[in-house]
Amino acid sequence: MIAVRAEEDRLQVTIPTEGMTPEEINDFVAWLRVESVVRRSRFTAEAAWKLSEEIKSDWWQANEQRFTPKGTG
């Protein structure tokens, strides 16, 4: 069960991690950090799009082998 606690300027969320690998947990936390920064930023739509493309490219380079058969990637 996900638990949420809101205080003045903080939101505390507790999420069960059973069945998640440490890498999946790190990926999820990294995503939350990016979301938090983006929501507080004053990015233009163009700058946000460029950043999203860079993040996707970096993610694909790090994870491509998980999604392509061996010997094809």
Side-chain angles (χ1 to χ4, degrees):
M1 171 174 286
I2 296 175
V4 179
R5 186 170 122 190
E7 294 182 0
E8 290 179 28
D9 64 345
R10 297 199 175 275
L11 178 66
Q12 184 176 15
V13 180
T14 303
I15 301 171
T17 58
E18 183 179 343
M20 294 176 72
T21 66
E23 293 80 18
E24 290 170 330
I25 294 167
N26 286 335
D27 288 347
F28 180 70
V29 171
W31 175 80
L32 286 174
R33 287 184 178 128
V34 168
E35 281 292 316
S36 176
V37 169
V38 169
R39 290 182 187 273
R40 289 180 297 179
S41 76
R42 301 193 189 275
F43 269 3
T44 64
E46 182 179 338
W49 177 260
K50 183 177 178 183
L51 177 61
S52 74
E53 293 301 306
E54 290 173 13
I55 290 169
K56 288 188 287 186
S57 176
D58 290 346
W59 183 90
W60 181 250
Q61 287 177 2
N63 293 284
E64 179 179 10
Q65 72 282 354
R66 293 173 46 199
F67 299 97
T68 54
K70 290 185 180 188
T72 63

